[in-house]
Amino acid sequence: MAEQPVFLSDDVVARFLSYDELILRLEEVLGQFSREDSSEVVQPVRSVMPIHNHNGYLGLMPAYIAHEDTLCTKMVAFYRRKGNLPSTQATVLLFNPEYGNVKAVMDGLDITHKRTAAVSAISAKLLMPAQSDVLCILGCGHQAVSHYEIFTRLFSFKEVRVCSRTLETAERFAARVRGPVKVFTSAEEAVRGADLIITVTNSSEPVLFGEWVKPGAHVAAVGACRPDWRELDDVLMRDAVIYVDTREGAAVESGDIILSGAEVFAELGEVLNGTQPALRNKTTVFKSLGKIFSVKYRQN
Ligand SMILES: NC(=O)C1=CN([C@@H]2O[C@H](COP(=O)(O)OP(=O)(O)OC[C@H]3O[C@@H](n4cnc5c(N)ncnc54)[C@H](O)[C@@H]3O)[C@@H](O)[C@H]2O)C=CC1
Ligand SMILES: O=C([O-])C1=[NH+]CCC1
């Protein structure tokens, strides 16, 4: 009989996750995923089901890495709502690939926050202007915190600006993070002149407009993960070079790509593999949807 799965709570998972390890691991997996001749990393487009009564969605995200025999899935529930209820919940199951039994059940919230921020940081490493002094974060929720942590750890900015839907949320964020932050009440003022812009809102309408964006800036667009949701306007989508985590996912899930008709230039993994260039001198957008995901867990 199979052993009982272990359960790892969010605080235990948080203790195991380091940004440095995550970046190395995600660069490896993004590259493997994007190799045309490779079935090493199998990750179908997630299936997403609406939770009608609660303005939410449940997404199933299975992944299999053949060369290391890792089989796992994340289940993520995400909501568009105001107030104190959480906007995302996630659980990760790690399987024994030979028998199909579950070896570990992990709370997936910290994984979701840190993994997403780590992939955005990889996009910035590849695509942000060589001289990047000003970081602007639009949206001040959970993802904003993990993005702030990793971006200020990896890069040196002269100024970090934030703006959210309400001044109160932005001020709460500024009080929570360690380090200087300039709170703006106008998104336009926060964005103008920024070298790197991160959108981490739960908005379904554009919050970032091409007219505001400095030529050559890099945008990591993390919210708007539904085909009818937007964070970026048509002008930005038309003028920027668009990078994604997976082309198939972008074609069915990203409202910014589908509704603007923008063409995807490359997957981040293709840039990491050297098969597509990092056009650092152009205005670039990395549209993140959250696909590349895999878990290794050693019981000892
Ligand atoms: N791409 C990916 O891999 C992932 C994407 N997400 C998405 O990222 C987004 C953010 O997630 P969380 O931080 O967990 O959500 P959250 O609910 O903690 O924070 C959302 C923030 O957006 C702000 N906001 C809403 N409308 C705004 C507007 N018009 N202008 C400025 N700020 C606005 C809210 O005030 C709040 O501070 C969500 O859309 C979520 O679904 C979440 C996980 C992974
Ligand atoms: O990958 C992820 O966890 C999510 N993507 C969109 C909402 C949550």
Side-chain angles (χ1 to χ4, degrees):
M1 209 179 100
E3 278 178 32
Q4 291 293 311
V6 293
F7 176 73
L8 305 184
S9 61
D10 202 42
D11 53 329
V12 173
V13 174
R15 261 189 276 134
F16 281 112
L17 276 182
S18 94
Y19 280 124
D20 297 340
E21 271 187 84
L22 261 178
I23 288 200
L24 289 175
R25 173 74 174 148
L26 288 164
E27 283 177 342
E28 184 190 339
V29 181
L30 283 161
Q32 286 164 354
F33 178 84
S34 293
R35 252 175 237 141
E36 260 172 37
D37 56 349
S38 170
S39 57
E40 287 284 273
V41 177
V42 181
Q43 198 175 37
V45 175
R46 78 183 136 209
S47 65
V48 180
M49 180 188 83
I51 313 170
H52 288 298
N53 289 355
H54 302 282
N55 203 11
Y57 297 86
L58 179 67
L60 297 182
M61 304 167 69
Y64 180 54
I65 303 184
H67 68 274
E68 58 187 43
D69 213 21
T70 303
L71 178 66
C72 62
T73 187
K74 180 164 104 171
M75 291 162 291
V76 61
F78 57 101
Y79 302 84
R80 274 215 69 233
R81 57 188 174 197
K82 298 178 187 157
N84 291 330
L85 290 173
S87 53
T88 307
Q89 297 279 2
T91 308
V92 174
L93 301 181
L94 181 69
F95 296 88
N96 174 336
E98 194 178 359
Y99 297 110
N101 59 298
V102 175
K103 284 179 13 185
V105 179
M106 309 177 202
D107 192 300
L109 204 50
D110 199 61
I111 296 175
T112 298
H113 297 152
K114 289 187 176 151
R115 185 220 63 88
T116 307
V119 175
S120 301
I122 293 169
S123 87
K125 266 172 68 177
L126 297 169
L127 298 169
M128 74 181 189
Q131 178 71 35
S132 285
D133 293 330
V134 179
L135 167 67
C136 168
I137 304 178
L138 297 183
C140 285
H142 297 89
Q143 287 291 339
V145 172
S146 55
H147 278 74
Y148 179 89
E149 282 172 357
I150 193 163
F151 275 75
T152 52
R153 188 189 156 108
L154 285 186
F155 312 112
S156 302
F157 298 106
K158 291 195 176 134
E159 192 173 308
V160 181
R161 306 170 177 177
V162 296
C163 180
S164 204
R165 191 172 33 209
T166 64
L167 177 61
E168 191 197 347
T169 330
E171 283 178 339
R172 214 180 311 130
F173 172 90
R176 175 175 173 181
V177 296
R178 286 193 209 123
V181 166
K182 221 164 151 184
V183 171
F184 283 70
T185 49
S186 150
E188 177 175 352
E189 282 171 25
V191 166
R192 283 200 185 269
D195 303 292
L196 182 55
I197 303 151
I198 300 171
T199 57
V200 271
T201 74
N202 53 8
S203 178
S204 56
E205 305 297 329
V207 295
L208 179 61
F209 295 84
E211 200 198 326
W212 305 345
V213 175
K214 177 172 157 180
H218 175 58
V219 176
V222 172
C225 296
R226 296 293 302 149
D228 55 349
W229 292 3
R230 302 290 299 262
E231 276 194 314
L232 316 181
D233 79 337
D234 283 351
V235 174
L236 179 56
M237 293 304 289
R238 183 196 63 209
D239 291 349
V241 183
I242 311 294
Y243 295 81
V244 294
D245 37 20
T246 82
R247 290 176 191 273
E248 303 109 290
V252 296
E253 286 196 337
S254 167
D256 287 325
I257 288 172
I258 297 163
L259 301 175
S260 68
E263 257 184 50
V264 170
F265 178 71
E267 292 180 350
L268 280 191
E270 293 173 314
V271 180
L272 290 162
N273 292 339
T275 54
Q276 289 291 348
L279 300 177
R280 241 184 222 282
N281 296 331
K282 306 243 170 149
T283 306
T284 50
V285 165
F286 166 54
K287 178 56 223 154
S288 160
L289 288 160
K291 287 293 182 299
I292 302 298
F293 173 79
S294 84
V295 163
K296 266 197 208 171
Y297 163 68
R298 279 180 298 276
Q299 209 169 350
N300 51 25

